[in-house]
Amino acid sequence: MITIESGRLTIPEEERFIGFAGDNDAVEKQIAVIHRSVPGCTYTLCLRFDDGSVRSVPLSSTVYGSDTLLRWRVEREDLLASGVVAAQVKMTDAEDNTEHTTKDYFWIGSSVELDDDGAEIEHITPSQLENRVREAVTEIESKASYRGDDGFWYVYDRSRGGFIKTGYRDDLQVDSAMSSSSLNPVSNSTVTVFIGEQISQIRAEIGDIEAALAQI
């Protein structure tokens, strides 16, 4: 039997297994609290799973002389996932004073036809997979951006459930070289080269003017 004595929770090896993830055929575990029979005391079993999720389970209690017997009816929602489950009992008296036991562990098995979280594994045939891929491709294509007859691009807006017109066009001409009349140069580097050439030309003209002034 599982026992609590002087605040120490002890789970024998034969009591560690509490079921398979997803089981709904409830079993009962009993916990004997040795030399403790506090009136109005409530007991809560705290379980922490491998993924960090926590479940608190109220335990029913019956006092027998100087001892207390706790009962835990293991339900499906207590079997959240397979693996090792850390366990600790919280004891709260009538004046709301709280005391915890030491920690021990249970373990939950995994079923062949279920995932680790107890959810049924979905079996998909090759033809079903092919149909799902085809449906996914059709869905993507139906919401793909496109160029309208007006030259503007239209994109799908999920919140509106339809396409909206953007301010972007793809019919602008891209110049292969930069000149004083270019509206859409091919790249920033081209612009930089062009500006550098213009500055050099201006400096040369200034030099010519300075030379002419020096001869006056």
Side-chain angles (χ1 to χ4, degrees):
M1 176 180 285
I2 303 170
T3 61
I4 297 174
E5 186 171 8
S6 299
R8 180 180 179 83
L9 174 64
T10 302
I11 304 175
E13 290 302 319
E14 65 273 12
E15 296 280 3
R16 295 195 188 281
F17 179 71
I18 55 177
F20 293 94
D23 282 1
N24 56 8
D25 186 13
V27 298
E28 183 177 276
K29 292 291 184 180
Q30 296 185 347
I31 305 173
V33 186
I34 309 299
H35 304 311
R36 182 183 176 92
S37 56
V38 180
C41 186
T42 60
Y43 299 85
T44 304
L45 176 63
C46 303
L47 302 173
R48 180 179 292 275
F49 296 82
D50 284 341
D51 62 358
S53 58
V54 177
R55 175 164 174 76
S56 297
V57 184
L59 303 175
S60 63
S61 61
T62 304
V63 175
Y64 291 97
S66 62
D67 302 331
T68 301
L69 181 65
L70 308 179
R71 290 184 173 84
W72 171 30
R73 186 168 177 78
V74 184
E75 304 286 354
R76 181 171 186 170
E77 53 267 28
D78 301 334
L79 305 173
L80 294 179
S82 61
V84 175
V85 184
Q88 187 177 40
V89 175
K90 180 174 68 174
M91 302 173 286
T92 306
D93 64 21
E95 297 180 356
D96 207 28
N97 296 313
T98 299
E99 179 183 354
H100 288 82
T101 68
T102 58
K103 298 177 183 178
D104 207 326
Y105 70 92
F106 294 103
W107 71 274
I108 300 173
S110 59
S111 302
V112 172
E113 81 282 7
L114 300 180
D115 279 329
D116 288 342
D117 61 357
E120 187 171 351
I121 296 175
E122 184 177 12
H123 300 281
I124 303 176
T125 65
S127 61
Q128 289 175 326
L129 178 59
E130 182 179 349
N131 290 335
R132 292 191 181 186
V133 171
R134 187 181 299 111
E135 291 173 358
V137 171
T138 301
E139 175 75 8
I140 293 173
E141 290 178 343
S142 68
K143 296 179 179 178
S145 302
Y146 68 92
R147 178 184 178 275
D149 295 336
D150 56 1
F152 288 91
W153 279 90
Y154 289 76
V155 297
Y156 186 81
D157 188 323
R158 185 182 300 274
S159 63
R160 299 184 182 183
F163 286 87
I164 59 173
K165 180 180 178 180
T166 71
Y168 297 97
R169 298 169 61 101
D170 69 349
D171 57 352
L172 296 176
Q173 295 298 320
V174 178
D175 299 329
S176 60
M178 183 66 186
S179 69
S180 59
S181 61
S182 295
L183 297 176
N184 191 26
V186 68
S187 69
N188 289 336
S189 60
T190 302
V191 177
T192 302
V193 171
F194 174 75
I195 293 175
E197 292 174 349
Q198 296 299 307
I199 292 175
S200 296
Q201 183 177 346
I202 292 172
R203 285 175 176 171
E205 292 175 354
I206 292 174
D208 292 340
I209 294 172
E210 290 176 343
L213 290 174
Q215 295 177 1
I216 296 175

